[in-house]
Amino acid sequence: MKKRGSLFVLFMSLVLLMSGCSSVAVLDPKGPAARTLSSTIIFSIAMMLGVLLVVYVLYVIILVKYRAKNSKDDYIPPHEEGNIWLEAIWITIPIIIVGVLSVVTLQSTSAVEKVPVGYEDQEPLVIYASSSNWKWHFSYPEEGIETVNYLNIPTHRAIELRLYTFGPITSFWVPQLAGQKYAMSDMVNTLNLVADVPGSYLGRNTNFSGQGSALMEFETLAMPPADYLEWVEEVKATAPILEEVEFKGLLSTSYLGRKTYSSTHLTFSPPPGSHADHMNHADMENGNIEHQENKDIHPNPATSPEETEFDAVPNIDPNEPLPQSPAEDSNQDIEHTDHTGH
């Protein structure tokens, strides 16, 4: 009875804890890309639960049917060489499961990499999302405005986010609108999304990029197109211009609140080259030089390591013997003592 009581208390505790998680953002999609990913997750969970159900049912049947009290004391199980049908079944079923999950995953990954279905003929709204320690810069070249640490988008319009970073690799993710994608230093990654339900959705950096990475959260506000246009006009009329000196100050500051500007940094600090340019080491005429210069002023999230004994010798001759460790010195002292007798 005590064991049953303990198990019941544990079960109720888990129920109460799970009830506190009223909703999981990734399973509450507000756009077509997020719905595709949510459906894939639910399908995968259902398949895994089906496997667990079969395993546990067979486990209980084996325990009950072949328990010791069901057999005579002198019972000796017959010798079996194996069953080719059983072996074929337990090899084939896992292959089928992995094959089905692989096909579903490939299809969903391909789908979310494209412009969502129904928006292919629509001109996407291009927004450059760049990160720096530990904040997000959102540049709207079409509107000529820029925001820091918040993103406003219109509903029912394709959004093309172009991701890059001025510092370490970060990962852009708005769970209710799209999957995550990395922002890298010398290339631009593209993320397509659509919000078909107005609302406020939490976005974050899901990659560990230093001590402030957990604070890299931002609000994505999806609003009706009319409200979005009204907000853009208000920003153009009231927000200050983003000068290069101001932008360099933003990069060199670790933590910031929300900021809004009536111009973008893309005019004096264009984004890095494309992935193909990066891989071919071609000269990038779209701002890579300026981007590299702004990377140089980016604060280093890590403190400088203490100088070691090897830092004083920058060019070590590879033919020289390696320095001896304290253990080797101790062994030589012991050998010297043994030979001298002292």
Side-chain angles (χ1 to χ4, degrees), residues 9 41 44 70 73 84 90 104-105 114 126-127 135 140-141 145 147 149 187 206-207 234 266 271 275 279 282:
V9 171
I41 293 173
S44 301
N70 285 350
D73 294 338
I84 189 172
W90 65 55
V104 172
T105 302
K114 303 174 183 177
V126 176
I127 302 175
K135 51 198 170 294
Y140 300 70
I145 62 175
T147 62
N149 287 333
M187 59 180 288
T206 60
N207 190 56
E234 181 182 357
L266 302 177
H275 180 65
M279 296 301 294

Side-chain angles (χ1 to χ4, degrees), residues 30 127 129 136 138 140 147-155 159 161 172-178 191 193-205 216-223 228 231 258:
K30 303 300 181 182
I127 302 175
W136 290 94
F138 298 102
Y140 300 70
T147 62
V148 178
N149 287 333
Y150 77 97
L151 173 65
N152 287 357
I153 59 174
T155 56
I159 308 296
L161 287 165
F172 182 95
W173 191 32
V174 184
Q176 292 181 273
L177 297 180
L191 179 66
L193 62 86
V194 172
D196 50 22
V197 178
S200 175
Y201 309 114
L202 179 65
R204 61 182 57 144
N205 167 31
M216 287 185 67
E217 295 183 345
F218 60 92
E219 179 191 21
T220 300
L221 183 61
M223 56 182 70
Y228 173 78
W231 169 74
R258 294 189 176 195

Side-chain angles (χ1 to χ4, degrees), residues 75-262:
Y75 171 75
I76 298 177
H79 177 71
E80 295 285 350
E81 292 291 343
N83 188 304
I84 189 172
W85 291 109
L86 287 177
E87 293 177 2
I89 289 173
W90 65 55
I91 291 175
T92 304
I93 290 178
I95 292 176
I96 293 174
I97 293 173
V98 173
V100 171
L101 290 176
S102 298
V103 171
V104 172
T105 302
L106 287 173
Q107 289 178 342
S108 61
T109 302
S110 177
V112 298
E113 284 294 321
K114 303 174 183 177
V115 176
V117 177
Y119 297 88
E120 302 93 337
D121 298 331
Q122 187 184 86
E123 185 69 22
L125 172 62
V126 176
I127 302 175
Y128 285 87
S130 56
S131 64
S132 63
N133 286 347
W134 283 278
K135 51 198 170 294
W136 290 94
H137 310 260
F138 298 102
S139 306
Y140 300 70
E142 183 178 318
E143 287 82 0
I145 62 175
E146 183 161 329
T147 62
V148 178
N149 287 333
Y150 77 97
L151 173 65
N152 287 357
I153 59 174
T155 56
H156 302 289
R157 182 174 179 183
I159 308 296
E160 181 181 307
L161 287 165
R162 299 180 181 179
L163 313 173
Y164 64 99
T165 178
F166 289 95
I169 293 176
T170 53
S171 180
F172 182 95
W173 191 32
V174 184
Q176 292 181 273
L177 297 180
Q180 70 88 26
K181 183 166 280 192
Y182 287 107
M184 301 184 184
S185 178
D186 292 328
M187 59 180 288
V188 174
N189 282 332
T190 301
L191 179 66
N192 294 295
L193 62 86
V194 172
D196 50 22
V197 178
S200 175
Y201 309 114
L202 179 65
R204 61 182 57 144
N205 167 31
T206 60
N207 190 56
F208 180 75
S209 56
Q211 62 182 3
S213 57
L215 303 177
M216 287 185 67
E217 295 183 345
F218 60 92
E219 179 191 21
T220 300
L221 183 61
M223 56 182 70
D227 294 345
Y228 173 78
L229 293 176
E230 182 179 348
W231 169 74
V232 170
E233 293 302 321
E234 181 182 357
V235 170
K236 289 181 178 180
T238 60
I241 296 175
L242 179 59
E243 303 286 352
E244 186 171 2
V245 175
E246 170 78 6
F247 181 66
K248 291 182 183 294
L250 296 178
L251 292 181
S252 61
T253 304
S254 297
Y255 303 100
L256 285 173
R258 294 189 176 195
K259 288 185 175 294
T260 310
Y261 299 96
S262 58

Side-chain angles (χ1 to χ4, degrees), residues 26-40:
V26 74
L27 298 180
D28 184 25
K30 303 300 181 182
R35 271 192 288 274
T36 298
L37 295 174
S38 177
S39 300
T40 303

